Amino acid sequence: MEITGSLDAQRFSPQAPSQEDIDEYRRLSAEQAAGVGVVSTVWRGRDYAATVTAFVPVSYDPPTMLVSLYEGSRIAEAVAESGQWALTLLTENQRRQANWLASPGTPIEGLLTQLPFRRGPATGSTVLEGGLAYFEVITTAVHEAATHLLVVGNVVSMGSEAVVRAGLSPLLHYAGDYRAIKPQ
C-alpha cells in the first residue's frame, strides 16, 4: 500500500556534495549497525592492522570476502600491495583492541605488542586471539570507489578461536559508538 505524502529529502549532486551533505550522509548511514573486525596484513616485513566495519561475505562458492578501506590509509596501501590479508571478527569484549587499532596515528612499530594474536596458517597475517571468527584472504581484485579501495579476495583459511558461551555477542558499531547485542 502506497503511503501518500512526500519524504523529507535532501537532494544534492553526488559529483559535488557540500560538507553539510557529507555530514548528513555520515549521520544517516550510521543508523545501520555493522559488525566490527580487524583487517591485517604483512607487507615489507611489517605488520599492519586496522579496525573496520565495512566488510561483506560476497559469495559462498567459492568463499569470497570484500573489505572497504580508506584509500589514503596505511592499511589500504599495505593490503593492496601485499595481495593477502586476514579479517578477525571481534567480540563485545574486544572494544579496547578495536579502539587501539581505530585510533589515528597509532605507531607502525609495536602496533601489535599489546594485543594477543597468532599468525594465520595460510598468509601469516595476524589473527586476534579470542575473535568470533577469522578469514585469511588472497586478493583477486581491487576497485577504486570514491575515497576508498574495495578489496575482494578468495578465502583460503578460516576458523574460530572464541569460546562459545551464553551471552557472547559480536562487537557492533552503531550511531557512532560500539554496542553489543543484548540477550532477550
Side-chain angles (χ1 to χ4, degrees), residues 8 12 17 21 26-27 49 53 57 64 66 69 84 88 92 105 107 111-112 116 118 124 135 151 183:
D8 180 24
F12 61 93
D21 295 331
R26 182 174 284 140
R27 184 186 73 77
T53 57
T64 306
L66 175 147
L69 303 169
Q84 58 187 20
T88 305
E92 65 181 320
L111 176 68
L112 299 170
R118 296 178 192 211
F135 305 90
V151 184

Side-chain angles (χ1 to χ4, degrees), residues 63-76:
T64 306
M65 294 290 289
L66 175 147
V67 66
S68 176
L69 303 169
Y70 176 64
E71 186 175 24
S73 66
R74 296 182 304 211
I75 191 67

Side-chain angles (χ1 to χ4, degrees), residues 118-138:
R118 296 178 192 211
R119 297 272 171 202
T123 68
S125 299
T126 58
V127 173
L128 293 189
E129 186 82 18
L132 288 173
Y134 75 88
F135 305 90
E136 288 187 279
V137 181
I138 301 297

Side-chain angles (χ1 to χ4, degrees), residues 88-106:
T88 305
L89 305 182
L90 302 183
T91 70
E92 65 181 320
N93 300 325
Q94 293 177 303
R95 290 176 194 226
R96 183 182 67 77
Q97 292 94 325
N99 280 329
W100 170 249
L101 294 171
S103 299
T106 53

Side-chain angles (χ1 to χ4, degrees), residues 13-65:
S13 167
Q15 286 74 34
S18 69
Q19 187 59 51
E20 181 181 300
D21 295 331
I22 293 168
D23 292 343
E24 182 67 354
Y25 175 79
R26 182 174 284 140
R27 184 186 73 77
L28 291 172
S29 64
E31 293 301 320
Q32 171 64 41
V36 179
V38 168
V39 66
S40 65
T41 194
V42 178
W43 181 49
R44 295 183 176 171
R46 287 195 168 139
D47 286 309
Y48 291 81
T51 302
V52 294
T53 57
F55 53 87
V56 178
V58 174
S59 173
Y60 299 117
D61 187 13
T64 306
M65 294 290 289

